[in-house]
Amino acid sequence: IYKQIGPVERKRIVGTLVYEDGQYRVLGNSKSYKVLLASVTYYRAEIGDNVTLIVPALEDSQWGAIDNVLPKFGEVGAE
């Protein structure tokens, strides 16, 4: 049994979604973060999209959570 005492401090980074070695990853901050396929499909992200990723602020992590897909330049609503 595990108990969460409190949420971990987080930071947001911007990176590019890639697919390598059978795994979706986001390249950002000179590092490759693994992301879940479910979040890629939920946000309808495509390889090459810029995304915001949530990662722990104080600890090193191999995983991140996609927070948003940034609009591409020239799309409706993009500036």
Side-chain angles (χ1 to χ4, degrees):
I1 298 176
Y2 294 95
K3 179 179 179 182
Q4 180 176 342
I5 296 173
V8 173
E9 260 190 77
R10 302 171 184 169
K11 64 180 176 182
R12 284 185 169 82
I13 60 171
V14 176
T16 304
L17 182 68
V18 297
Y19 188 79
E20 56 186 34
D21 300 326
Q23 172 77 49
Y24 281 99
R25 296 175 178 267
V26 173
L27 302 177
N29 280 1
S30 303
K31 186 173 177 184
S32 174
Y33 295 93
K34 296 178 185 179
V35 292
L36 293 175
L37 171 62
S39 63
V40 174
T41 57
Y42 177 81
Y43 287 103
R44 296 184 180 137
E46 298 176 356
I47 295 171
D49 283 349
N50 284 330
V51 299
T52 55
L53 193 70
I54 299 174
V55 296
L58 304 175
E59 296 180 22
D60 191 32
S61 176
Q62 293 183 5
W63 288 86
I66 294 177
D67 185 44
N68 198 4
V69 176
L70 302 175
K72 294 178 183 171
F73 185 74
E75 285 187 359
V76 176
E79 296 182 17

